Amino acid sequence: MTVATARAAADNTDQSELTRGARVVQYCAEAANAAAVDTWTAMLAGCDYPGRRALPSRLHELTEATSVYVGTQWWYGDGSVHRRRVADAEDRIGEAVQDGDGAEFAEAFVGYDQAVAAVVVRVQSQMGTSAS
C-alpha cells in the first residue's frame, strides 16, 4: 500500500521537493517490501536467511524517509499519534520475526504498511499547505 501511495504522490506532485521526498519513500518502501518477502520466506522455511536480518534496517529507513517527507515539526507535533502507530508496528514486526511468529508478522506488517501509507496520504491531503 505504501509503495502505491508514494508512487501516486510522486506522480501527482508539482512541487519538486515533495516529489523527491515521495520518491525516496517509494524506494524505501520497495526495499522494505523486498526484505519482508525474504523474511517471510525464511520464516516459512524455518531458516535464518540473511535477508531476514535486513528487514529492521529497511523498516527504519522507511520510517526515517517518511518522517522527512512529512516534516519534523508535524512528525513530532500533530503527527505524533501516527509516529507512535508506525513505531509500535515496527516493534511488533521485530518481535514477531524474533519469535518466528508468522501470523503476528503478517498482521504487524500490514499494520505498519497502513500506518505509513496513511502518513503519505496526509501529506497529499494537505497539498496547499506546508508539510513541515
Side-chain angles (χ1 to χ4, degrees):
M1 185 180 320
T2 301
V3 172
T5 303
R7 182 180 300 125
D11 291 345
N12 293 327
T13 302
D14 294 339
Q15 302 168 9
S16 63
E17 186 175 324
L18 281 178
T19 300
R20 282 191 300 273
R23 288 281 179 229
V24 171
V25 171
Q26 177 189 342
Y27 297 139
C28 289
E30 289 168 349
N33 281 352
V37 168
D38 287 346
T39 300
W40 180 253
T41 302
M43 289 175 74
L44 290 177
C47 64
D48 190 25
Y49 181 71
R52 184 174 174 171
R53 291 186 296 273
L55 184 59
S57 64
R58 296 295 180 242
L59 293 175
H60 183 72
E61 290 167 1
L62 176 53
T63 299
E64 286 298 311
T66 303
S67 73
V68 170
Y69 180 60
V70 298
T72 305
Q73 183 178 357
W74 182 82
W75 189 245
Y76 288 100
D78 292 343
S80 62
V81 170
H82 292 285
R83 180 177 44 82
R84 282 192 298 275
R85 279 184 58 212
V86 170
D88 289 347
E90 192 174 332
D91 289 343
R92 282 183 61 204
I93 292 168
E95 290 171 10
V97 170
Q98 187 173 12
D99 295 344
D101 187 339
E104 179 67 17
F105 171 79
E107 184 178 308
F109 194 82
V110 167
Y112 178 83
D113 191 35
Q114 288 175 338
V116 174
V119 171
V120 174
V121 167
R122 184 260 175 208
V123 171
Q124 290 305 295
S125 70
Q126 298 294 319
M127 281 309 286
T129 63
S130 175
S132 53

